[in-house]
Amino acid sequence: MNASWSTAVSATLHCLTGCAIGEVLGMVVGTAAGLPTWGTVVLSIALAFLFGYGLTLRGVLKAGIGVGAAVKLALAADTVSIAVMEVVDNAVVVAVPGAMDAGLASALFWGSLAFSLAVAFVVTVPVNRWLISRGKGHAVVHHAHHH
């Protein structure tokens, strides 16, 4: 399968949407609740996977695919992409000095979070291009939508 950069960017933007919703929500809740860094990161990752899979499930179920098949498609389409994005964005935000201790009203908190998601996007695009070129990742969802 020929995977264009624009297809990979589109797939990664889809992934980023779910990841960003979960990541931001997890960071906000974890920070507001005073969780330790590891607790906030775990919460963010869990929510990123939940929202990432949820967005894919929503679209696949809307296309008329049954629940069992839809879950399998979402897992096949999104797991690697979300995992790469989460490793990168959490590593970046944790590496920014003071970011995890900055409060919700801090530009450092929001800036490091935005920067981490941007870096994760850039790193994940070629991963998704490689997956799609092999008929994996978002290619399985596109195949399901067109059949």
Side-chain angles (χ1 to χ4, degrees):
M1 175 177 212
N2 184 12
S4 70
W5 283 105
S6 64
T7 301
V9 166
S10 176
T12 308
L13 283 172
H14 176 269
C15 179
L16 179 66
T17 302
C19 286
I21 292 168
E23 184 72 23
V24 171
L25 184 59
M27 288 289 172
V28 167
V29 169
T31 299
L35 295 178
T37 296
W38 69 266
T40 300
V41 168
V42 168
L43 178 61
S44 294
I45 291 170
L47 290 174
F49 272 94
L50 179 73
F51 281 94
Y53 288 141
L55 287 178
T56 296
L57 279 172
R58 188 178 128 245
V60 173
L61 289 170
K62 207 173 189 181
I65 308 261
V67 174
V71 168
K72 288 178 185 174
L73 278 171
L75 291 172
D78 293 339
T79 300
V80 173
S81 185
I82 295 171
V84 169
M85 194 161 283
E86 286 306 296
V87 165
V88 173
D89 80 58
N90 281 287
V92 169
V93 80
V94 168
V96 173
M100 292 301 292
D101 297 320
L104 296 177
S106 166
L108 178 60
F109 175 87
W110 293 104
S112 65
L113 191 51
F115 177 68
S116 72
L117 290 167
V119 171
F121 174 81
V122 169
V123 170
T124 307
V125 168
V127 172
N128 279 328
R129 184 172 187 255
W130 180 81
L131 287 168
I132 293 166
S133 73
R134 282 149 183 78
K136 300 184 183 319
H138 278 264
V140 298
V141 171
H142 292 289
H143 179 74
H145 280 297
H146 299 296
H147 285 62

